[in-house]
Amino acid sequence: DKLRLLQAPYMPTVLQILAQRPLVICHDELPEEQPLKFPSDLTAEERAQCTPGLEKIEEKLRDGQMHDALEKLRIHLHIKTRLITFKDRNIRNQVANTRARGRIDANEVKIKSFAGKYRKGRDAKRKLAGSGDWERQYRVLNDSDIRTLSGAEHELSILPEGVMSTLFASEGRRRTSWIW
């Protein structure tokens, strides 16, 4: 009965991959702790043995992943703008300043997490689909692209003195990041 489940068409290349792995007997290792493999995690030869259409399903999954990650990245960049503006206008003592800084830092962690999620989805999509028209919509996300919509004016409060003039372009030369 178990052998029939492993041979079902929805289990792509499981038997071949398991046969290539060295046999390690470990009594502490549970099957549910084994990593799942997507077609993008496999080599081209292993993908050729997969069920037809499985790569297209993962491509759609990765499109959704990139779309959601970009959307959440934009939301948290808006939140960052509001947090910094609120801190600059309303916070005056050390305790409140420390608390506000902690919230800004926690939001920054989320921003980096969504950027990583986008990059991982884009790398997987590139492995599956190669170059194409989709790259116009989902471009490479550089660290310099991850900035608020309003740009530099909200970033100034967290920079040391004198750095402002060397990092930021003037009002007429500032460009909006492609993620917006």
Side-chain angles (χ1 to χ4, degrees):
D1 195 35
K2 290 181 183 179
L3 182 60
R4 191 174 37 181
L5 284 175
L6 286 176
Q7 293 173 343
Y10 57 85
M11 301 287 285
T13 70
V14 171
L15 293 176
Q16 291 88 354
I17 292 172
L18 289 176
Q20 294 171 357
R21 288 186 184 171
L23 181 61
V24 178
I25 299 173
C26 182
H27 298 289
D28 297 334
E29 201 170 296
L30 298 172
E32 58 266 18
E33 293 175 354
Q34 293 297 314
L36 295 175
K37 299 277 188 181
F38 283 100
S40 61
D41 297 331
L42 304 174
T43 63
E45 296 82 32
E46 291 172 333
R47 275 198 306 266
Q49 299 171 8
C50 286
T51 303
L54 199 58
E55 290 179 12
K56 293 294 182 190
I57 292 170
E58 186 185 355
E59 279 186 48
K60 290 179 183 179
L61 172 80
R62 297 304 181 171
D63 285 339
Q65 178 181 353
M66 290 185 292
H67 177 78
D68 289 348
L70 271 181
E71 192 62 32
K72 289 179 181 175
L73 184 62
R74 290 181 195 117
I75 289 168
H76 283 280
L77 286 171
H78 278 300
I79 291 171
K80 178 180 179 178
T81 301
R82 296 297 183 189
L83 287 171
I84 291 173
T85 301
F86 180 81
K87 178 184 166 293
D88 288 347
R89 291 182 184 169
N90 300 309
I91 306 297
R92 294 293 169 244
N93 61 41
Q94 184 176 356
V95 173
N97 230 338
T98 303
R99 186 175 296 132
R101 187 76 238 160
R103 288 189 175 139
I104 292 169
D105 291 343
N107 188 58
E108 194 67 31
V109 168
K110 290 179 183 179
I111 289 171
K112 289 179 181 177
S113 170
F114 289 122
K117 191 176 204 178
Y118 173 83
R119 289 175 178 139
K120 185 176 180 180
R122 189 179 189 286
D123 290 343
K125 171 89 174 186
R126 186 162 177 83
K127 285 180 187 176
L128 293 170
S131 297
D133 292 337
W134 66 272
E135 289 182 308
R136 279 185 268 175
Q137 181 179 3
Y138 299 116
R139 297 168 42 181
V140 174
L141 183 64
N142 299 314
D143 288 341
S144 59
D145 296 326
I146 304 171
R147 60 181 185 269
T148 59
L149 181 60
S150 53
E153 70 262 23
H154 295 294
E155 308 289 335
L156 298 179
S157 62
I158 57 175
L159 291 174
E161 294 292 325
V163 178
M164 175 178 60
S165 61
T166 59
L167 287 180
F168 301 113
S170 66
E171 190 69 30
R173 297 186 187 272
R174 189 181 329 143
R175 294 189 164 246
T176 305
S177 174
W178 69 266
I179 64 174
W180 298 103

